Amino acid sequence: MMTDEGDAAFFYDEWGRRRPGDGRDLRRAALLADTLGLPGIPDLPALTVVGSKGKGTAATYASAWLVAAGCRVVTVTSPGLRRDSDRIRLDGTAISERELAGLGRRLRDAARSLPPRGAGYLSPSGLFTLAGLLYARDAGADVVVLEAGMGGASDEVSLVPPTVVAIAQVFGEHLGVLGDTPAEIAADKAGVVSELTRAVVSLPQTPDVAAAIEATVAGRTGRPVELSGLPGSSEASEISALSGPSALSGPHRPNALLGCTAARRLLQVTGRPAADAARTAEVLASVRLPGRVSWHTIPGATLLVDSAVEGNGAAAALAEAYRRWDRIDHVLVCLPDHKDLEGVLAALGGLPVTTVRMPDRESLRFTRTRDGLDIADLTPGRLASFGERIVVLGTVYFTGRVLDLVGADTTRLFAG
């Protein structure tokens, strides 16, 4: 029998053996889902979150809202904050490493019946999605909240017919992969909807992206969809009133509102009772999002860590830093080639910046920052050497490493 570590490694097995030009194999992933009896779990509605940025925030707040309403909720996010077991949570709390290994063992055993792989592979994010569904079935969950890894129709979350879809902001990330324009990318992300989808909630989008979403949803569901005017809608105001004065404040308010609105819609369309205002305010006020404008202290320095990958996000993180500080000593930035490095650097203005590379992440390219600091050389002491007040920005893979360095608690995201 394999060790727990070996069982957990199965999530990366085929991805680690991929060849140039290989892509994720949705057909074999669907066969694996069928072998496991997934996703046809009776009476288990799914809330699926897609978009270019803010999906994790929306998924967390959606989960918190549903838990406040008395639901037993399994949440699957991508990637994990510090470790892979963070990807699957029950009522906001991450599963254990042993539980993850057990899920990996079951997936590995079921995968033995699949046809041989061709020019494709079972992707890690897709396998974690299936593992989350297995866990939801075992745990007797009432609802699953699924965060798409990259796309929508092209992502394994599309194997699960969503009851409600939440669409965060869509912009030109993954150009040439999901599409050649932001509108094409939006069509892929919105393509997660099915004829079983009962509601679609979206943040405001650019006109071309909004048109692509509307056309895709109408084509797949056979009915038009009205894109919500969050965060300025009357529904958003009502949700804010229920949540308490500070629960949905800060730079990530739009994505938090998106998650809460989508969760509220799911309760409505499935006929489930809503939580009372006091319980909702209590649970939402307890939400903590490490790596999303989160504050951390190490000997000699305080860090603001945020997974900003474009200029607007970086500007919002800086504004939050200046609410507490009168100066910023240094900014660490880690953005691979497909992220908006130029926009982030422009937002930082004349602040001292050090770029960081992650050469051990084979899927990420850092050709624009070849002279940057290697992630392996980053230690708590090296962090403190940059000054007393440090802002850390970059992809979630990077901020996850920093959270690990500072010993951030990522096990529990809210009080269930």
Side-chain angles (χ1 to χ4, degrees):
M1 180 177 292
M2 297 181 69
T3 64
D4 285 352
E5 182 178 351
D7 292 328
F10 173 73
F11 291 99
Y12 298 94
D13 180 50
E14 291 196 7
W15 178 84
R17 294 184 285 112
R18 70 195 186 284
R19 301 172 293 263
D22 282 357
R24 58 179 64 197
D25 191 338
L26 290 183
R27 181 186 67 86
R28 289 175 66 245
L31 290 175
L32 180 57
D34 289 341
T35 300
L36 294 164
L38 305 171
I41 306 175
D43 303 321
L44 185 63
L47 190 163
T48 301
V49 184
V50 300
S52 300
K53 179 63 177 169
K55 299 188 298 292
T57 298
T60 299
Y61 274 90
S63 301
W65 187 281
L66 293 166
V67 167
C71 295
R72 190 168 173 82
V73 182
V74 165
T75 308
V76 184
T77 55
S78 178
L81 296 176
R82 285 182 61 184
R83 57 186 69 86
D84 282 333
S85 55
D86 288 340
R87 292 174 181 252
I88 302 172
R89 298 176 181 273
L90 176 62
D91 294 346
T93 299
I95 65 173
S96 68
E97 298 289 333
R98 183 170 293 276
E99 287 173 314
L100 182 68
L103 293 168
R105 186 180 310 119
R106 292 163 67 184
L107 289 172
R108 174 174 52 80
D109 292 344
R112 292 192 177 112
S113 66
L114 296 179
R117 59 175 293 189
Y121 55 86
L122 295 173
S123 76
S125 63
L127 291 173
F128 283 112
T129 296
L130 296 184
L133 292 171
L134 273 178
Y135 189 82
R137 185 171 65 188
D138 294 347
D142 300 310
V143 179
V144 290
V145 176
L146 305 176
E147 176 192 350
M150 182 187 298
S154 60
D155 191 282
E156 287 82 358
V157 293
S158 65
L159 301 177
V160 184
T163 308
V164 173
V165 174
I167 305 178
Q169 183 186 13
V170 177
F171 48 82
E173 186 179 29
H174 302 300
L175 285 169
V177 179
L178 297 179
D180 293 328
T181 66
E184 291 181 2
I185 292 172
D188 182 279
K189 292 180 182 292
V192 75
V193 304
S194 78
E195 60 183 11
L196 299 178
T197 301
R198 303 283 301 279
V200 178
V201 181
S202 172
L203 287 179
Q205 310 284 354
T206 60
D208 58 331
V209 167
I213 292 173
E214 290 173 344
T216 301
V217 172
R220 288 183 172 266
T221 66
R223 59 185 183 275
V225 60
E226 180 180 354
L227 301 185
S228 172
L230 292 172
S233 66
S234 58
E235 183 173 17
S237 299
E238 185 176 346
I239 287 173
S240 296
L242 286 170
S243 304
S246 61
L248 303 182
S249 61
H252 298 297
R253 172 179 166 81
N255 294 308
L257 277 171
L258 173 67
C260 293
T261 303
R264 194 180 191 217
R265 296 281 178 85
L266 187 140
L267 293 173
Q268 291 169 346
V269 301
T270 58
R272 297 170 185 267
D276 63 45
R279 175 64 174 153
T280 300
E282 176 188 9
V283 175
L284 294 186
S286 72
V287 173
R288 297 293 180 268
L289 295 171
R292 297 178 177 92
V293 191
S294 58
W295 299 88
H296 307 275
T297 301
I298 58 175
T302 301
L303 285 66
L304 182 151
V305 181
D306 188 57
S307 302
V309 296
E310 44 81 40
N312 291 334
L318 286 188
E320 197 66 21
Y322 283 125
R323 291 180 192 276
R324 181 177 297 194
W325 295 335
D326 60 0
R327 74 176 195 278
I328 294 173
D329 294 327
H330 211 90
V331 183
L332 298 183
V333 176
C334 180
L335 292 174
D337 289 352
H338 66 282
K339 302 294 186 182
D340 182 24
L341 178 62
E342 292 77 11
V344 169
L345 294 178
L348 298 179
L351 289 171
V353 175
T354 294
T355 59
V356 183
R357 300 178 302 109
M358 300 181 67
D360 58 328
R361 291 292 311 184
E362 295 180 7
S363 60
L364 303 179
R365 298 289 178 264
F366 293 88
T367 61
R368 299 175 299 177
T369 55
R370 287 193 180 96
D371 297 329
L373 178 69
D374 194 314
I375 185 67
D377 296 327
L378 198 59
T379 64
R382 188 68 183 275
L383 280 171
S385 73
F386 289 107
E388 297 178 349
R389 303 175 181 185
I390 307 165
V391 173
V392 176
L393 304 175
T395 176
V396 291
Y397 295 106
F398 170 59
T399 57
R401 297 284 188 89
V402 174
L403 292 175
D404 202 40
L405 285 174
V406 302
D409 182 8
T410 61
T411 300
R412 192 175 188 183
L413 296 186
F414 57 84

